[in-house]
Each structure stands twice: as C-alpha cells, then as structure tokens.
Amino acid sequence: MRIDIMTLFPEMCEAVLSESIIGRARQNGFVDIRCVNIRDFTKDKHNRVDDAPYGGGTGMLMQTQPVYDCWEHICAELGKKPKLIYMSPQGQVLTQQKVKELSKEENLILLCGHYEGIDERVIEEIVDEEISIGDYVLTGGELPALVLADSISRMLPGVLANDEAFEQESHYSSLLEYPQYTRPPEWHGKSVPEVLLSGHHKNIEAWRREQSLKRTFERRKDLLDNAELSKSDRKLLDSLGKETKKY
Ligand code: 4HQ
C-alpha cells in the first residue's frame, strides 16, 4: 500500500514515520508512505500558501491553488485518483472498523490542514471523505494523519510479527487488553498474579479472557455491543452485573 500525506510540515511527519515499527515497515517495503510538501506547489512569488478569510474573522486559511496543484501532481505520478481523506474534526470519528476498511485500499492520500483550515472550494473538489481522530481541537491535521497512517500500516501483511497479526484477527479484538506483567515477580510489594507463573496455558488463557471481559465491562461497556462473545463469556458478564441488559 502507498499513502501520500499532503502537508505543510513534511519533516514533522517524516520524523514520526521514520521511527519504530512504521519506520522498519517502510524500510522493508511493507508500506510506502510519502510526505509531500504543499508549499512546493505554490505559485505565489513569496511562497505564501495562506490568506485571510473572506468575511473577516481570525486566523488564516490555506488557499486552493497550492493544495489543488499538489493533489494533481500526486495523481499524475500515480496515474490514478486514489481516495482522498481530509483530517478534520467535522469528519466521522475514526474506529478500528474504518481502519480495517481503509487498509484494503491500494493507495490513499491524506490531506492535512493547518491554520484555521482550507478554502472550502478545494475540499468540495478533491476530498472523498473527512475523518476525525476525536472530539478535541488540534493545531493541524498532521497528528491525525499520522495516527491514521499508523493504524492502517499495522494492519498490513508483514508489518507486525505473525503472532501480533493473529491477535488482530482473533476474537480478542474489540475487547480491552488484559493486564500484563514482566520481571521481576515482585515489585513494591506487588506480586504478579500467580496463574501467570503456573505454566498452565489453559488457565492463563481463561484468566486473560476474564480480565479482558471485566475491564471492558467496567471501563467501556459500549464496546461489548460489537464484541464476539461465547456462552461462557456471557455467563461471566452476567455474574458481573445483575442489572445488565444487552451485550
Ligand atoms: N484539526 N481530527 C485540522 C483537528 C482534527 C481532529 C484541527 C484538523 C485543525 C486545521 N483533525 N484543522 N480532531 O483537530 O482530525
């Protein structure tokens, strides 16, 4: 998969995408992520890409010309017009289901706005979908684009180790994670749960499932609506809350 990120801050994006798991995945060719500088496409003699909003008000807006020409350049290079996603608090809030869906695309273009945003006309012309990473306000679309690129990349074959990738597909997804422990076995007077030291794999698996279910029930009941639950899962959830209705 190839992802082109249109941004005024390509170095900021590049810095994040060069590290850790995504950095390695890019180096190994499992994902091709490019950070494209919108400013390189301005025709303004002073290299400006923004201007004041018509009708007045605070802040500056990104202008149509550099954004549009940047997009045309990417599409010409690819020989196609991939789905273009504009990172915006006005979009649908990102979910793992959406991530999974987008990870099936061959190409994506992510558009990052800065300042007060982008002239609406170019959004109408080139944007296929708006996505928000949550109901709070950031200074730019770069962090949201990086969140989206990261979440999509880890779904691609080869990016995660095999056992990690398996957990993605298993019934564990859509529940919260169980707690985990590593050495030492005792720290600040706290011991690691005994079952984890027992070497009894069946019991460990059952304990982890129970922990996942309990945590999800206590912290994020809403997630249970979409979880795949066995008969014994439901029995455990029943024992947690007598008053509970549907999950
Ligand atoms: N932005 N999820 C870009 C966000 C945002 C979000 C604010 C996007 C500023 C220019 N984007 N504008 N939350 O807060 O995607």
Side-chain angles (χ1 to χ4, degrees):
M1 180 179 202
R2 172 167 161 177
I3 304 174
D4 286 84
I5 302 179
M6 296 171 58
T7 170
L8 290 174
F9 298 93
E11 287 102 349
M12 171 185 174
C13 299
E14 194 60 56
V16 171
L17 297 167
S18 301
E19 297 284 342
S20 188
I21 297 170
I22 305 304
R24 190 189 61 203
R26 288 172 81 200
Q27 281 202 318
N28 293 340
F30 293 117
V31 62
D32 182 3
I33 309 179
R34 311 207 187 180
C35 309
V36 187
N37 192 347
I38 295 171
R39 195 179 298 278
D40 289 347
F41 297 87
T42 183
K43 289 179 172 148
D44 180 85
K45 60 176 183 288
H46 301 296
N47 260 356
R48 295 216 63 97
V49 291
D50 61 329
D51 207 339
Y54 281 118
T58 53
M60 301 292 266
L61 283 179
M62 287 167 68
Q63 294 173 282
T64 55
Q65 181 273 319
V67 173
Y68 189 76
D69 288 4
C70 179
W71 173 72
E72 278 201 311
H73 171 86
I74 294 166
C75 294
E77 186 178 306
L78 294 170
K80 59 177 162 185
K81 294 179 176 178
K83 174 174 279 189
L84 188 147
I85 297 167
Y86 177 45
M87 308 315 300
S88 154
Q90 282 146 71
Q92 287 290 113
V93 176
L94 186 62
T95 61
Q96 189 60 26
Q97 188 194 302
K98 184 48 129 183
V99 169
K100 216 166 168 177
E101 194 182 306
L102 291 173
S103 70
K104 289 169 186 143
E105 301 277 346
E106 202 44 56
N107 288 87
L108 283 175
I109 303 178
L110 311 184
L111 172 58
C112 308
H114 223 88
Y115 315 115
E116 293 307 303
I118 305 183
D119 188 310
E120 190 68 22
R121 292 168 297 180
V122 73
I123 295 174
E124 285 172 5
E125 192 106 341
I126 69 175
V127 170
D128 297 297
E129 197 168 329
E130 297 191 24
I131 291 181
S132 167
I133 63 159
D135 292 335
Y136 40 81
V137 185
L138 301 163
T139 56
E142 282 74 18
L143 291 171
L146 292 168
V147 166
L148 183 55
D150 182 285
S151 62
I152 290 171
S153 296
R154 67 186 286 288
M155 300 299 290
L156 302 176
V159 173
L160 296 184
N162 278 334
D163 50 341
E164 294 167 323
F166 171 76
E167 281 188 30
Q168 296 271 319
E169 287 310 310
S170 78
H171 58 294
Y172 286 91
S173 50
S174 94
L175 289 183
L176 298 181
E177 290 276 0
Y178 49 80
Q180 301 204 78
Y181 306 84
T182 185
R183 290 189 289 181
E186 195 166 318
W187 180 81
H188 283 205
K190 292 169 179 289
S191 305
V192 172
E194 216 169 273
V195 62
L196 300 177
L197 309 175
S198 70
H200 194 303
H201 298 297
K202 265 267 167 337
N203 288 354
I204 291 169
E205 200 190 340
W207 181 85
R208 286 177 166 169
R209 184 71 180 174
E210 186 179 315
Q211 292 295 314
S212 277
L213 288 161
K214 278 185 175 157
R215 285 195 156 188
T216 311
F217 180 82
E218 283 161 8
R219 304 182 190 190
R220 291 292 307 277
K221 270 199 193 58
D222 59 299
L223 294 180
L224 292 172
D225 293 342
N226 301 308
E228 245 182 80
L229 301 172
S230 69
K231 265 218 173 81
S232 71
D233 290 339
R234 286 174 199 283
K235 216 168 123 188
L236 183 108
L237 287 168
D238 276 334
S239 76
L240 293 177
K242 289 283 143 237
E243 81 292 0
T244 45
K245 317 119 262 197
K246 51 159 192 160
Y247 41 72

